[in-house]
Amino acid sequence: MLRLAVFASLLVLMQSASAISSLHITADSVTHDTATAQQLELMVDLASTTVTAKAVHIQYQTIEARNANILLDYRALNNQNQHNQSQPSLTLNTDLKQNTDTSWAKTQMYCLLPKNLATESWDCSNGKFTAQRINLPFSLSVLPQTKGFIANINLQNANFSDEAGLHAAEKLNGHLTLVAKQEGDTLNFNSALNWQTGEVFWQPLYFANGGHELQMQGNLKGDIITLDNATLKLDKVGDLNFSGKINTKNYTLYKLDADLPSLNLTEAYPLLFKPFLGKTMLNDAELNGKAALNIHVVDSQLKTFKIKLEDVNIDDKNHKFAFYNVNADIPWSYDDATKVSFSYNNGQLLNMPLGRTNIGAEVNRYSLVSPSITLPILDGTFKLSDISAARINDNWYWHLRAELTPVSMPDASRAFKLPIMQGKASAEIPLVTYSGGILTTDGEIVLNVFDGKATVTQLTLQNPLSDAPRLSADMNLRNLDMGSLTRTFSFGAIEGKLDGDVQDLEMLNWKPIKMDAKLQSSDGKYLKKISQRAVENISSLGGAGAAAAVQRSVLRFFNEFNYEKMGLSCILRNNICEMSGIESTPGGYVIVKGSGIPAITVLGYNKTVGWGELVDRVKHVIDGNTKLIVK
Amino acid sequence: MKKSLKKSAVMLSIGTAAILTACVTINIYFPAAAAEKAADKIIDEVWQLKQGQQAPESTPADKTSEPKPAETTPAEAKPTDTPAK
Amino acid sequence: MKKLLLSLFVIVSILTANWVAAAADLEVNTPAIAALKASMQARHGQLSPFYSAGAIGLTKDGMIAVKDATAVPLSQRGSLSGLVSAENADRANLYKEIATANGHAEWQGDIQNTFAGRWIDKAQSGWFYQSGGGWAKK
């Protein structure tokens, strides 16, 4: 239905009296269905057999065109053409944009027209679509079919980018075949997209190379797309087969079945996973092995999925964790409880070696329970029992009981790169709770070290695997053998027993930021002897003066002294350690109170010491540097 | 004479008290100069600039193109009005 | 009487001197601040070329923002937003930690404002910073 609106003036130019050689029609506005053209101009040149159509503005649905220019060149039929072409041609030039866009894109196309327009192929080469930040050279061939067409589009060295640069491609070469056929109100299609070469950034994904294919076969009816059969082949990564039904207006997913039988994790991790892992602890790992994935969605609800991992190795590049030979079978269903299994051969977590572990659990929609998990660690085992976890409002909550059977301290000290300590460590924690990123323990962790007992209570850990883990705890040491302690840390020999109390310890990134710490010789009768070197070292912790005094005095002639009591305490706040000893004196405090002959009393005078300086001093002492750096 | 002296002494102690309270009050205000100094120190470390020095390629704002001595706090050295960029 | 005045003056000057001394420095040497500084210093090596290319700029609130991602090769664009958000998280923490280290959590905003000006003042020429409603080049 063509309606010529307003005025249409017909101009017939007579070049000779006998024949009409050209027609010139102008119209202010022409409307056809949903298309409107303004200031339309049509020139038919019968002498040279060309038709030129121009429109200043065209509106079609949501697309606008301006300065549209179409030239139909039929000179080929009378061998008058300049291009030496044997076929008639169509040249199109126009500015295009979506209604909502502010800038225009230029489109130009040059097509050779077949003799039979309805049954033969139209070949358009040298097509170009350009706009600010977009340059898409293309060639196109369209073969008309009954109620449809077969189109082949080639992109040649195309570049595009949105304004923010978050969706962009460079040097893109690709091919699209599209077969479409209208049947009633349904449009059937079959398309094959072949991305040959070129790089694409589609935030947050980056593809450095092509070699990927997407095939889709389905139909479009109103707003609903049904995919009967689709395959996405990602080069080196894997093939994803999927089908489903989606509403394109409100994105309601009526149905989705997706199957990824074999995913190469080595390639898939950097390409597909890492960009989405942002600041999580998994974002800087090396991954290899194979995975399989299967998903079913019905009416926008995830109904079932199944993940399988086969001999997967995960290695954190920051060495916070590693798991090797991971095998997993994790089925999940919205409606039914499932049994999941997960195992690894070995690995490490925060430098703690992990032995072969099998985990089995029952999953019921968003919660998980498991009677017990045994994690072999060094020569002991870490036993978790009564485990229950639930995901509520996108947060994990879990609690469990934990027990560490004796682990040999020499092995543990090697694992944590500490001086080799003797003894065994064991722990029992009646309840561990994790909620909102905070790990809390009730009960005590008991370490049996240096023939004594170290007890850790009130232990909480915030964001344990992040860059800034925060730990708080109270700690008690009882009857530690100072002989083996001082030998381990090469501090100069002291014979005796040590008690310690660390209250309100707070550590950030495993460095103390706050504590009330007190170390002193245990009560009771036992051999109490201190070597001269230890006296110097202890003195230097309280300040340089005392150490020098020992050196100058007659005491340097003795190797060993008896003591009655010794102790040192530090209240750490704002990076300053406020120090005191077992008793205070005018202007100082007593660190070692001697007894017998020769009796030695070590006094400290510096009541405040910078924490960093104190740590440096202790390090120098332990490193066996007899020369102390006195600041 | 004595009276006036006494009076002035009283005035002075009131004034002193006022100054004292003023000092105490000022103390809880934000220490802008100290904060600038702290900021400069941290920025120098993060951006690995030389102590108190502006970024290498920028034109020096004052005649001294050599690194400023460590004692000179950048807060003091900073011109009151920001240089044109 | 004179003695009284003198002693008052002495007291005043002592107290004032104490106050000046106390205000001379902010505490910035805590482990938390040191950790943040180290993390930002390590990241700066990656951010530096992006500043120079004009891909990112310094905002007037003491943070950084993506100014023009197209100035960065496609292969590096993915890391850009991650680096920017990590840097901003560190900066926000830094301002908070300085405020709390000095016992005045309420200073955080003032500290952030102070830093905002100093980052821009110390920026290399060629780097972009927010000025008024848009970006300006140093």
Side-chain angles (χ1 to χ4, degrees):
Chain A
M1 224 252 287
L2 184 90
R3 188 157 53 87
L4 283 180
V6 205
F7 307 104
S9 61
L10 180 71
L11 244 118
V12 182
L13 292 175
M14 312 283 281
Q15 280 211 331
S16 69
S18 58
I20 297 168
S21 64
S22 72
L23 272 170
H24 194 170
I25 303 166
T26 59
D28 282 353
S29 177
V30 177
T31 306
H32 176 58
D33 281 355
T34 52
T36 310
Q38 263 142 16
Q39 296 179 43
L40 194 73
E41 208 178 321
L42 191 70
M43 280 179 290
V44 183
D45 188 333
L46 297 173
S48 65
T49 53
T50 57
V51 179
T52 310
K54 285 183 181 178
V56 170
H57 189 260
I58 299 171
Q59 174 80 50
Y60 175 68
Q61 291 183 348
T62 59
I63 296 168
E64 279 178 69
R66 72 169 184 197
N67 304 331
N69 219 324
I70 300 169
L71 174 71
L72 270 169
D73 189 342
Y74 271 91
R75 279 175 292 188
L77 298 181
N78 4 333
N79 294 322
Q80 279 183 357
N81 60 351
Q82 296 142 343
H83 301 284
N84 282 332
Q85 66 194 34
S86 54
Q87 278 174 272
S89 69
L90 179 147
T91 310
L92 170 77
N93 267 302
T94 183
D95 293 351
L96 278 180
K97 77 174 185 78
Q98 296 260 319
N99 283 345
T100 48
D101 289 349
T102 48
S103 60
W104 293 87
K106 274 195 187 311
T107 309
Q108 62 185 67
M109 214 160 74
Y110 173 76
C111 306
L112 293 177
L113 300 179
K115 279 188 182 143
N116 188 333
L117 293 177
T119 58
E120 289 175 74
S121 170
W122 301 36
D123 291 312
C124 308
S125 56
N126 299 325
K128 222 175 198 183
F129 182 82
T130 48
Q132 204 186 2
R133 299 194 186 86
I134 299 175
N135 180 23
L136 303 180
F138 66 90
S139 63
L140 167 75
S141 82
V142 183
L143 181 63
Q145 304 269 292
T146 7
K147 291 190 170 177
F149 60 86
I150 299 172
N152 276 291
I153 303 167
N154 266 307
L155 274 183
Q156 293 135 356
N157 210 9
N159 294 308
F160 68 82
S161 169
D162 62 359
E163 199 169 345
L166 300 178
H167 306 95
E170 278 169 18
K171 295 181 184 136
L172 197 63
N173 288 289
H175 181 91
L176 171 71
T177 304
L178 179 63
V179 180
K181 191 170 189 178
Q182 188 81 35
E183 274 175 12
D185 57 353
T186 308
L187 179 74
N188 291 307
F189 62 84
N190 193 344
S191 73
L193 178 69
N194 185 353
W195 163 9
Q196 292 150 340
T197 57
E199 49 177 341
V200 171
F201 177 64
W202 202 270
Q203 202 193 21
L205 300 171
Y206 171 72
F207 296 89
N209 284 305
H212 315 298
E213 281 173 46
L214 174 65
Q215 284 181 320
M216 292 194 286
Q217 186 256 308
N219 65 66
L220 175 70
K221 189 175 176 181
D223 293 327
I224 295 167
I225 292 184
T226 308
L227 285 178
D228 301 322
N229 188 351
T231 307
L232 174 68
K233 288 185 184 195
L234 286 177
D235 188 34
K236 298 185 192 107
V237 174
D239 294 359
L240 173 72
N241 302 310
F242 60 104
S243 62
K245 195 171 169 184
I246 189 171
N247 186 316
T248 55
K249 267 258 168 70
N250 55 22
Y251 298 106
T252 308
L253 190 59
Y254 301 111
K255 192 169 175 291
L256 174 71
D257 296 323
D259 186 35
L260 187 60
S262 175
L263 180 70
N264 180 345
L265 289 174
T266 318
E267 298 286 335
Y269 172 75
L271 197 67
L272 304 176
F273 300 157
K274 203 180 158 183
F276 293 101
L277 293 168
K279 277 182 241 163
T280 64
M281 60 188 188
L282 284 168
N283 76 342
D284 197 14
E286 240 170 79
L287 205 67
N288 60 60
K290 288 221 177 296
L293 183 70
N294 194 298
I295 288 176
H296 295 284
V297 177
V298 177
D299 288 329
S300 301
Q301 174 63 56
L302 184 61
K303 278 289 174 188
T304 65
F305 72 75
K306 188 170 178 151
I307 301 171
K308 268 197 156 187
L309 300 178
E310 273 175 54
D311 272 329
V312 173
N313 299 313
I314 308 167
D315 214 332
D316 179 37
K317 285 187 186 161
N318 300 315
H319 307 295
K320 281 187 179 158
F321 60 88
F323 298 95
Y324 302 109
N325 299 99
V326 180
N327 282 285
D329 185 10
I330 305 172
W332 180 88
S333 163
Y334 185 81
D335 300 308
D336 307 307
T338 56
K339 286 212 182 317
V340 304
S341 67
F342 181 91
S343 71
Y344 55 81
N345 234 4
N346 58 323
Q348 63 97 353
L349 183 66
L350 299 173
N351 275 329
M352 184 109 72
L354 303 172
R356 175 158 184 84
T357 302
N358 287 301
I359 297 170
E362 190 178 287
V363 174
N364 206 334
R365 202 173 287 181
Y366 303 127
S367 68
L368 177 149
V369 286
S370 177
S372 81
I373 294 174
T374 307
L375 305 167
I377 293 169
L378 299 166
D379 59 342
T381 52
F382 194 45
K383 243 191 202 161
L384 307 175
S385 50
D386 293 332
I387 304 147
S388 113
R391 193 167 169 83
I392 304 162
N393 296 331
D394 289 336
N395 280 314
W396 278 105
Y397 297 86
W398 50 260
H399 67 84
L400 48 81
R401 268 172 231 287
E403 188 192 342
L404 180 70
T405 62
V407 167
S408 85
M409 285 304 286
D411 291 353
S413 359
R414 267 188 286 271
F416 288 118
K417 298 190 175 74
L418 292 171
I420 306 305
M421 289 177 252
Q422 300 304 317
K424 291 230 167 210
S426 60
E428 189 163 344
I429 315 166
L431 187 65
V432 186
T433 327
Y434 181 87
S435 157
I438 300 172
L439 190 133
T440 320
T441 62
D442 286 354
E444 24 184 67
I445 301 168
V446 181
L447 303 166
N448 294 302
V449 284
F450 297 116
D451 301 329
K453 197 171 172 187
T455 315
V456 182
T457 49
Q458 306 288 331
L459 176 73
T460 67
L461 251 177
Q462 289 180 41
N463 314 315
L465 292 170
S466 76
D467 280 342
R470 192 180 269 269
L471 175 147
S472 66
D474 288 344
M475 222 161 80
N476 293 301
L477 311 172
R478 290 293 173 267
N479 294 317
L480 266 59
D481 178 41
M482 280 199 272
S484 59
L485 187 69
T486 48
R487 275 190 296 279
T488 302
F489 292 103
S490 42
F491 192 83
I494 305 175
E495 291 303 327
K497 286 178 180 178
L498 181 73
D499 282 2
D501 290 279
V502 182
Q503 299 295 321
D504 296 327
L505 171 67
E506 277 182 33
M507 288 172 97
L508 184 76
N509 210 6
W510 315 114
K511 290 189 182 83
I513 53 170
K514 184 190 166 200
M515 64 175 173
D516 293 356
K518 193 171 168 185
L519 293 172
Q520 62 177 19
S521 50
S522 314
D523 292 339
K525 285 207 163 180
Y526 47 85
L527 183 66
K528 296 174 180 175
K529 282 202 181 294
I530 181 165
S531 70
Q532 193 195 115
R533 197 175 142 230
V535 168
E536 278 172 39
N537 289 340
I538 287 178
S539 313
S540 64
L541 298 183
V550 178
Q551 286 296 335
R552 282 194 303 270
S553 74
V554 289
L555 293 173
R556 72 191 136 116
F557 299 114
F558 296 90
N559 277 331
E560 223 176 43
F561 310 97
N562 295 317
Y563 66 88
E564 188 196 318
K565 202 177 176 190
M566 67 165 91
L568 192 62
S569 69
C570 162
I571 295 172
L572 178 67
R573 296 284 183 281
N574 282 332
N575 226 17
I576 301 280
C577 179
E578 196 158 312
M579 303 192 42
S580 53
I582 42 172
E583 47 190 71
S584 47
T585 61
Y589 47 91
V590 180
I591 302 171
V592 180
K593 193 174 185 179
S595 79
I597 301 166
I600 183 168
T601 296
V602 180
L603 296 175
Y605 293 101
N606 288 5
K607 286 194 173 170
T608 56
V609 180
W611 177 251
E613 199 178 327
L614 186 63
V615 170
D616 281 349
R617 287 177 179 183
V618 172
K619 262 191 199 149
H620 276 289
V621 170
I622 289 171
D623 290 348
N625 273 345
T626 42
K627 268 204 169 173
L628 284 159
I629 294 183
V630 179
K631 289 179 188 170
Chain B
M1 187 65 186
K2 231 181 179 181
K3 210 177 181 182
S4 70
L5 203 82
K6 217 174 191 176
K7 206 175 173 184
S8 65
V10 171
M11 290 290 278
L12 207 71
S13 27
I14 289 169
T16 314
I19 292 166
L20 275 173
T21 19
C23 287
V24 173
T25 329
I26 286 163
N27 206 7
I28 60 159
Y29 280 127
F30 179 64
E36 288 208 354
K37 191 176 155 188
D40 283 355
K41 188 168 165 273
I42 288 170
I43 294 169
D44 286 348
E45 279 175 58
V46 170
W47 281 354
Q48 312 228 294
L49 304 172
K50 281 177 196 159
Q51 180 102 48
Q53 201 42 355
Q54 271 219 335
E57 276 136 273
S58 59
T59 46
D62 48 10
K63 283 164 225 155
T64 54
S65 57
E66 282 163 47
K68 285 160 195 152
E71 303 88 70
T72 317
T73 63
E76 286 160 11
K78 191 204 157 205
T80 38
D81 47 354
T82 42
K85 279 149 197 148
Chain C
M1 186 54 78
K2 265 186 184 168
K3 256 185 182 172
L4 178 74
L5 285 181
L6 197 70
S7 58
L8 265 173
F9 264 118
V10 170
I11 290 167
V12 169
S13 50
I14 287 170
L15 284 169
T16 325
N18 270 344
W19 164 66
V20 169
D25 280 306
L26 280 188
E27 171 61 69
V28 289
N29 291 320
T30 70
I33 294 171
L36 287 166
K37 275 196 300 198
S39 144
M40 291 166 73
Q41 198 188 71
R43 191 180 301 108
H44 185 64
Q46 291 171 275
L47 286 176
S48 179
F50 294 151
Y51 284 116
S52 309
I56 56 174
L58 301 159
T59 65
K60 51 188 163 193
D61 61 350
M63 297 289 171
I64 64 171
V66 175
K67 185 196 143 268
D68 177 17
T70 57
V72 177
L74 292 187
S75 55
Q76 289 169 29
R77 256 176 232 182
S79 61
L80 186 64
S81 58
L83 282 171
V84 168
S85 59
E87 173 74 8
N88 284 339
D90 275 1
R91 286 187 176 204
N93 262 332
L94 176 73
Y95 306 145
K96 190 178 128 203
E97 286 294 341
I98 295 175
T100 48
N102 288 280
H104 287 277
E106 75 281 4
W107 284 354
Q108 189 182 340
D110 289 312
I111 287 166
Q112 181 160 355
N113 282 335
T114 307
F115 265 86
R118 301 310 297 151
W119 288 118
I120 292 171
D121 275 3
K122 284 177 163 280
Q124 284 183 19
S125 67
W127 291 10
F128 284 85
Y129 64 97
Q130 258 180 0
S131 159
W135 292 98
K137 195 173 182 176
K138 231 189 125 145

